Amino acid sequence: MHVLEPGKDYRDLCLRSGGDLDPARLQADAVRHYDDCYNDYLFAWSNRDNLALHYGYWDDTSAYKQHQALLNKNQALYDKAGIQPTDHVLDAGCGIGGSSIWMAKHHGNRVTGITISSRQAGHAARHARRHGVAANVDFQVADFCATAFDAASFDVVWALESSCHALNKADFLKEAWRLLRPGGRIVVCDGFLLKREFDDDQWQAVVTCLNGWAVPNLCSRDEFNGLLTQQGFDAIVCHDITAQTWSSVQHMYKVARRLKSVQTISQWLGLRSPAQTANYLVGLAQYRLFTENLTEYCIFTARKSG
Ligand code: SAH
């Protein structure tokens, strides 16, 4: 039996250059992941319209189209968090700007996006100009566990598949709390563990996903709920959207299988970095996390009382 505990880093050493792990090392690996895989994501998963680095939300209106499902995810978070067009949103872990640009374009929000990758911030700013919303969005390089923003400077903190990168999720929630004005809301969307003990096979799938996505560990839904409560948030709601995510899980698995020979040949030719190969392997392994009920996928919303 293998046990995955909170607050620790369970990735293999294969992507690290050696030495003890610290948060700076973890962040460096995440930056390398997103920088190396920028083109892979745009080629195999998203497009220049949705710019999404997340699973889609498949409801009736998405009619089983990947692009629409990726955009629907933004609307799902927007609605569940009750975001208003006048809200200033912090997109904490903004990727290449997909959600920030979508909020500015479709709802007129002012959005500040932060990422630990300066290249991502550059890509995001360029995409915002292309989408004609550069005046409403601002992308910066910052750690969402320790930013330089003034306290109470945001109405909403939005974390779509990003808070999983924090070694201690409580550090992220503490900073979110500081940044929110009284009455502000947080929305967090991520995968959550359904169990903490795994057999050898399951452990291999879990660690392959952590390695490939530069994620140190995951929380369970109850643990995350507890961390929100400890931090002082109220009106906590957890929406289980595993069913609406399932088609994306399948889609990723199919794409990975389809690209197997391309991956194998280009890896053999030395054209794939370790981070790209690790990211490819997640496409296969993530399928098992869901088919074997090791993880679920949820949207949390909560409020900082005024
Ligand atoms: N929310 C985006 C991106 C998800 S990928 C989308 O849905 O498309 C995760 C993002 O979190 C990346 O941009 C990564 O750089 C960022 N991230 C990871 N650790 C971070 C940290 N400590 N501080 C800020 N951003 C972080």
Side-chain angles (χ1 to χ4, degrees):
M1 271 302 165
H2 304 265
V3 183
L4 195 93
E5 290 171 16
K8 295 189 178 168
D9 193 331
Y10 285 93
R11 296 170 308 135
D12 284 344
L13 287 167
C14 66
L15 283 179
R16 300 184 218 153
S17 51
D20 284 343
L21 190 84
D22 57 43
R25 180 87 239 156
L26 176 62
Q27 284 191 17
D29 287 350
V31 169
R32 191 177 317 120
H33 165 80
Y34 287 108
D35 290 352
D36 282 13
C37 301
Y38 172 70
N39 286 315
D40 291 351
Y41 277 116
L42 281 178
F43 171 72
W45 185 251
S46 53
N47 64 32
R48 286 157 56 84
D49 222 13
N50 58 59
L51 302 165
L53 307 182
H54 52 248
Y55 284 111
Y57 184 88
W58 300 73
D59 58 11
D60 294 344
T61 59
S62 48
Y64 306 103
K65 290 205 177 63
Q66 162 81 352
H67 169 64
Q68 191 56 47
L70 294 174
L71 291 177
N72 281 353
K73 173 60 84 49
N74 293 321
Q75 190 68 53
L77 266 69
Y78 201 89
D79 291 344
K80 292 192 187 336
I83 301 176
Q84 300 300 313
T86 49
D87 286 336
H88 183 194
V89 180
L90 177 70
D91 185 357
C94 63
I96 52 175
S99 299
S100 301
I101 293 169
W102 179 88
M103 277 186 265
K105 207 167 165 174
H106 293 272
H107 297 284
N109 287 88
R110 188 155 68 96
V111 186
T112 300
I114 57 172
T115 164
I116 43 172
S117 156
S118 58
R119 277 209 232 163
Q120 271 196 332
H123 289 309
R126 193 165 39 78
H127 289 303
R129 283 195 293 278
R130 191 169 52 77
H131 280 269
V133 294
N136 276 27
V137 297
D138 175 32
F139 295 104
Q140 302 183 23
V141 177
D143 176 357
F144 52 43
C145 295
T147 71
F149 299 117
D150 288 340
S153 43
F154 294 96
D155 302 298
V156 174
V157 171
W158 166 296
L160 175 47
E161 292 185 21
S162 56
S163 64
C164 55
H165 286 286
L167 197 53
N168 289 297
K169 315 314 177 205
D171 295 344
F172 161 72
L173 294 177
K174 186 173 176 206
E175 181 65 359
W177 176 270
R178 189 185 73 79
L179 294 176
L180 283 172
R181 64 156 170 86
R185 280 99 61 228
I186 185 170
V187 55
V188 172
C189 178
D190 238 316
F192 293 89
L193 288 178
L194 282 169
K195 54 194 276 188
R196 284 217 165 268
E197 293 191 356
F198 304 97
D199 65 27
D200 288 346
D201 274 1
Q202 295 170 338
W203 183 250
Q204 204 186 348
V206 170
V207 173
T208 300
C209 291
L210 299 181
N211 281 338
W213 281 344
V215 168
N217 60 60
L218 290 172
C219 268
S220 74
R221 177 207 291 229
D222 286 348
E223 286 157 3
F224 200 76
N225 207 316
L227 294 177
L228 281 164
T229 309
Q230 264 172 37
Q231 185 54 55
F233 285 101
D234 64 10
I236 301 170
V237 180
C238 177
H239 311 262
D240 180 347
I241 59 158
T242 313
Q244 290 86 344
T245 309
W246 170 239
S247 293
S248 268
V249 173
Q250 277 179 309
H251 182 82
M252 194 182 293
Y253 182 67
K254 281 185 200 154
V255 170
R257 288 185 53 143
R258 216 179 293 141
L259 291 175
K260 191 166 193 288
S261 49
V262 178
Q263 165 64 32
T264 308
I265 294 165
S266 46
Q267 190 182 344
W268 184 75
L269 290 171
L271 300 175
R272 306 281 290 165
S273 75
Q276 285 178 298
T277 294
N279 188 37
Y280 168 80
L281 293 173
V282 186
L284 303 172
Q286 54 92 37
Y287 189 68
R288 295 192 53 199
L289 299 196
F290 287 92
T291 50
E292 295 183 24
N293 289 327
L294 310 183
T295 52
E296 60 182 346
Y297 192 90
C298 305
I299 299 175
F300 270 97
T301 53
R303 190 184 57 200
K304 174 177 175 175
S305 293

